[in-house]
Amino acid sequence: MSAFLNLLFRNRLAAMGAVVLAVIVALVLLTPLLPLQDPDITATADRFKRPLTDGHILGTDHLGRDLLSRLLHGTRLSLAVGVAAALIAATIGSAIGIVAGYFGGRIDNVIMRGVDMLMAFPYILLALAIVAALGPGLMNALIAVAAVNVPFFARNIRGVTVGLAGREFIDAARLAGMGHTRILLTELLPNVLPVIIIAMSTTVGWMILETAGLSFLGLGSQPPQADLGSMLGEARSALISHPHTSVVPGIMIFLIVMSINLLGDGVRDALDPRLRSGALSRPRATTLVARKGDIPAPTDDLLAIQDLHTQFHVGERIYRAVGGVSLAVKPGECLGVIGESGSGKSVTALSVMGLVASPPGVITGGAVRFQGEDLIGAPYAALRAKRGDKVAYIFQDPLSTLHPLYRVGHQLAEAIRSHHRVPMAEARARAIQLLHDVRIPNAEARIDDFPHEMSGGMRQRVGIAMALANEPDVIIADEPTTALDVTVQAQILSLLDDLRRARGLAIIFITHDFGVVAQLCDRVAVMYAGRIVENGPTDAVLAAPAHPYTKRLIACVPELGGGRRELAAIPGLPPMVDDLPPGCAFAPRCDKAQEACRTGDIPLSGTPPRAVRCLYPEELV
Ligand code: ADP
Ligand code: MG
């Protein structure tokens, strides 16, 4: 709650709206206690007194009634009616929407067609018709305004509910034997409540305006009772001769509607989880770069990540997700990057092409060189030309990276055509060839499948085909097989292996599974808390791990036919990267840690090709 308020008041306009609204609400709540004149007592002798004349701060109206008193009482009434109408409309509309969205089918159809019928009329006409039928009066105006806003809530909430009703947690609730009422109230309602609040906060000002409109036309509050609309209506005839009688209620309507809308927009932004972390800005096209220190010199590697530092700046906190990582691959080489979840593997991979979302991501040091050319801070156009064409990515979950509404062939062709000007027919032929290459059987037919029509392994092959589409020099695969079962995983690994041998492709393969590294990679780098703690040829590292962390990681891999052996989980958790301990980040979990491990920076040392970041490594072989 306090986080919500913090976020809300960081938005200056919303804060201003809140202050103005709070003052108005406080004033109208105190109105009965204030020493005001009776708002309805007429004194024809005092007609049209100007503001600031004796006894009448805001002057008097055409019947000599005190304007300040009428204004406060009128505002009180207008606010009450507007808020009541909003509450009624929100309650009825949301109830209709939730029921329609949850039950679906015929119930949904019948209810929503009824709602559509209401929506088919311009709402102000509809409100007029309702008041005409019920007769003028403030209560009837309230009913009319509430009624014409019910469809708005019903439609909005139904849409959200339909999306939620198909989700697994609703199925789980059903399986747990919960009744419909309970599911509606305890499972669905809390999830749609933010939407209801947002819809209300952005419409309540509108409803106040609509009520005032009806009163202005003489259909709402009846004389002598004052509300803002009727005050405006009565002042209309004296608009030119005595403008203060209309300006006073006019300014009040303006202040109320303006402050409610500003506050409402602020509430909407603050409740929107997508806008929650940090500024209300869209992510930039490339990661922000703020490099300090020297930029490392070029090497002759195909792709070299050199002393890369990537951080997340969230408020006051700095998350050092990548704290000085160096990796390099040559053509045809496969480098494994391994580490527990949260060790900074993905952030390293995404930094290469400037794909870390900014804000909050910032690259604060190092270089990424593709054929010697530094990509960090390169202009967007230069990066875009290389993304997918020279350096391609394969991500973990192809279902979330493939567009659900386009056929896979179309998406493959698009990947090709975004870098090369080729006719559609040629791109399509190439797409079929790619699907052949990744061993999708019957590629000519499968090319017109939608992503959801394919199995998980099949989709990941499409992901690989897409990465291969422009014959890149480097593929960065971020846990591409984690979501797959072992047989499919084995097929995908052998596919990647063939490709690098056949095409001289360099692969950076990110995983948390040593079994996979052993199968595919020439070299392996072990990451912990944003740094490399050990690297070397795969066989050597597997045979004789030097860092205690690597040793424990390898001990976690079960071995078929290895007899009964206890699988040693590593006790403790990886450190939070916004609060790294001094010295070795692994020391708190390490059983060999000494005093010296807890101070100072521990360098990566050893005789090439092996290196380890440890003061007391196991014997290097
Ligand atoms: P993994 O090795 O599992 O791929 P990641 O590279 O995704 O790990 O994450 C590395 C670290 O960066 C994690 O500790 C995570 O908490 C942090 N991190 C990632 N994204 C953000 C973000 N948007 N804001 C703050 N911290 C982040
Ligand atoms: Mg990851």
Side-chain angles (χ1 to χ4, degrees):
M1 190 64 200
S2 76
F4 165 74
L5 289 179
N6 251 335
L7 210 54
L8 181 62
F9 289 121
R10 209 187 295 164
N11 180 342
R12 291 247 171 76
L13 288 174
M16 245 163 61
V19 169
V20 173
L21 192 64
V23 170
I24 295 176
V25 169
L27 269 180
V28 301
L29 286 180
L30 292 176
T31 302
L33 305 178
L34 295 177
L36 293 168
Q37 298 162 26
D38 189 311
D40 299 336
I41 287 199
T42 57
T44 10
D46 290 340
R47 297 178 72 216
F48 292 130
K49 279 261 170 71
R50 302 194 148 272
L52 298 178
T53 42
D54 45 12
H56 304 288
I57 298 178
L58 293 178
T60 57
D61 70 356
H62 65 295
L63 294 176
R65 296 175 291 196
D66 182 49
L67 264 183
L68 178 65
S69 170
R70 282 183 77 72
L71 179 74
L72 289 183
H73 281 99
T75 307
R76 193 177 155 88
L77 202 59
S78 285
L79 273 180
V81 172
V83 172
L87 281 176
I88 294 173
T91 312
I92 299 179
S94 308
I96 293 177
I98 285 194
V99 168
Y102 172 69
F103 289 103
R106 184 170 301 166
I107 297 183
D108 181 31
N109 237 328
V110 171
I111 294 181
M112 289 330 278
R113 290 306 80 77
V115 168
D116 287 347
M117 251 152 43
L118 276 182
M119 278 190 123
F121 297 96
Y123 56 79
I124 200 74
L125 269 189
L126 190 61
L128 285 175
I130 295 175
V131 179
L134 297 176
L138 202 53
M139 203 55 191
N140 293 343
L142 191 161
I143 294 174
V145 170
V148 297
N149 281 290
V150 161
F152 169 78
F153 283 94
R155 273 243 158 259
N156 259 339
I157 302 304
R158 174 193 172 268
V160 181
T161 312
V162 166
L164 289 170
R167 295 266 292 275
E168 287 79 358
F169 71 96
I170 300 293
D171 291 342
R174 270 204 205 105
L175 286 178
M178 282 194 199
H180 289 314
T181 323
R182 201 152 149 219
I183 293 182
L184 283 175
L185 291 181
T186 64
E187 304 285 330
L188 277 172
L189 187 60
N191 279 296
V192 296
L193 206 55
V195 185
I196 300 179
I197 293 175
I198 289 168
M200 247 181 77
S201 64
T202 46
T203 48
V204 83
W206 189 230
M207 293 198 214
I208 291 174
L209 214 51
E210 284 170 7
T211 325
L214 289 176
S215 290
F216 179 82
L217 297 175
L219 300 170
S221 80
Q222 298 300 309
Q225 194 181 37
D227 84 342
L228 293 174
S230 65
M231 285 175 75
L232 261 187
E234 288 166 2
R236 189 175 33 171
S237 50
L239 181 62
I240 306 294
S241 54
H242 304 283
H244 71 275
T245 48
S246 355
V247 168
V248 166
I251 288 183
M252 184 53 98
I253 293 180
F254 170 78
L255 284 179
I256 292 177
V257 174
M258 196 70 173
S259 60
I260 288 184
N261 283 353
L262 286 177
L263 183 62
D265 282 354
V267 168
R268 184 197 56 207
D269 290 348
L271 282 179
D272 188 332
R274 280 167 303 180
L275 303 177
R276 195 165 289 167
S277 71
L280 295 170
S281 56
R282 278 152 38 92
R284 302 155 49 98
T286 63
T287 310
L288 198 70
V289 176
R291 273 195 288 196
K292 300 181 200 71
D294 299 336
I295 295 167
T299 61
D300 61 352
D301 296 296
L302 177 59
L303 181 75
I305 301 173
Q306 301 172 303
D307 197 28
L308 177 74
H309 288 76
T310 305
Q311 308 181 338
F312 294 97
H313 294 183
V314 183
E316 298 288 292
R317 309 191 94 114
I318 294 182
Y319 295 82
R320 295 184 170 77
V322 178
V325 165
S326 300
L327 299 168
V329 279
K330 295 193 156 52
E333 204 176 25
C334 177
L335 168 70
V337 178
I338 189 164
E340 276 169 295
S341 152
S343 53
K345 308 181 298 289
S346 298
V347 176
T348 307
L350 293 173
S351 300
V352 170
M353 280 285 137
L355 290 170
V356 178
S358 286
V362 188
I363 295 181
T364 54
V368 173
R369 294 187 185 276
F370 179 77
Q371 293 172 339
E373 179 195 350
D374 192 5
L375 300 179
I376 303 290
Y380 172 61
L383 279 179
R384 206 191 84 90
K386 288 203 175 57
R387 287 178 182 174
D389 195 33
K390 303 286 184 216
V391 179
Y393 285 88
I394 306 171
F395 293 106
Q396 177 173 348
D397 181 8
L399 194 55
S400 63
T401 42
L402 291 173
H403 196 301
L405 298 182
Y406 286 112
R407 300 173 194 281
V408 296
H410 180 101
Q411 300 189 48
L412 277 167
E414 192 186 24
I416 299 170
R417 279 156 56 94
S418 64
H419 286 289
H420 302 278
R421 290 168 150 263
V422 293
M424 196 63 199
E426 196 182 320
R428 190 181 155 85
R430 171 115 180 81
I432 294 177
Q433 182 57 43
L434 281 166
L435 290 189
H436 267 301
D437 290 351
V438 296
R439 309 205 196 111
I440 289 188
N442 197 8
E444 287 81 1
R446 301 310 298 258
I447 194 163
D448 287 323
D449 279 1
F450 286 102
H452 71 266
E453 292 173 309
M454 303 187 127
S455 68
M458 207 79 100
R459 277 197 293 266
Q460 191 54 287
R461 282 168 212 228
V462 173
I464 296 176
M466 211 170 238
L468 293 173
N470 294 303
E471 308 205 327
D473 300 317
V474 183
I475 284 193
I476 301 178
D478 190 354
E479 313 213 20
T481 57
T482 305
L484 306 177
D485 64 65
V486 277
T487 42
V488 181
Q489 167 171 315
Q491 291 169 4
I492 301 250
L493 291 183
S494 78
L495 177 69
L496 282 173
D497 204 36
D498 291 352
L499 285 169
R500 79 174 168 117
R501 288 182 206 289
R503 300 192 183 185
L505 191 68
I507 301 179
I508 297 183
F509 196 95
I510 296 172
T511 175
H512 56 246
D513 184 350
F514 254 114
V516 173
V517 170
Q519 216 173 327
L520 185 67
C521 303
D522 309 311
R523 286 185 298 123
V524 60
V526 183
M527 268 189 94
Y528 188 77
R531 309 187 84 178
I532 307 261
V533 295
E534 173 163 14
N535 63 31
T538 309
D539 298 338
V541 173
L542 279 178
H547 198 284
Y549 177 62
T550 319
K551 198 173 164 199
R552 306 294 291 264
L553 265 189
I554 294 175
C556 294
V557 181
E559 224 175 310
L560 263 190
R564 288 169 73 89
R565 177 169 70 91
E566 201 173 330
L567 287 180
I570 308 179
L573 289 172
M576 295 302 296
V577 286
D578 60 334
D579 187 21
L580 287 175
C584 173
F586 187 61
R589 301 167 77 187
C590 181
D591 46 16
K592 296 174 70 182
Q594 310 281 322
E595 220 24 66
C597 298
R598 300 183 210 280
T599 49
D601 186 56
I602 295 160
L604 194 63
S605 60
T607 40
R610 296 203 57 182
V612 58
R613 194 187 293 280
C614 182
L615 294 179
Y616 306 99
E618 314 280 328
E619 287 302 307
L620 280 181
V621 192

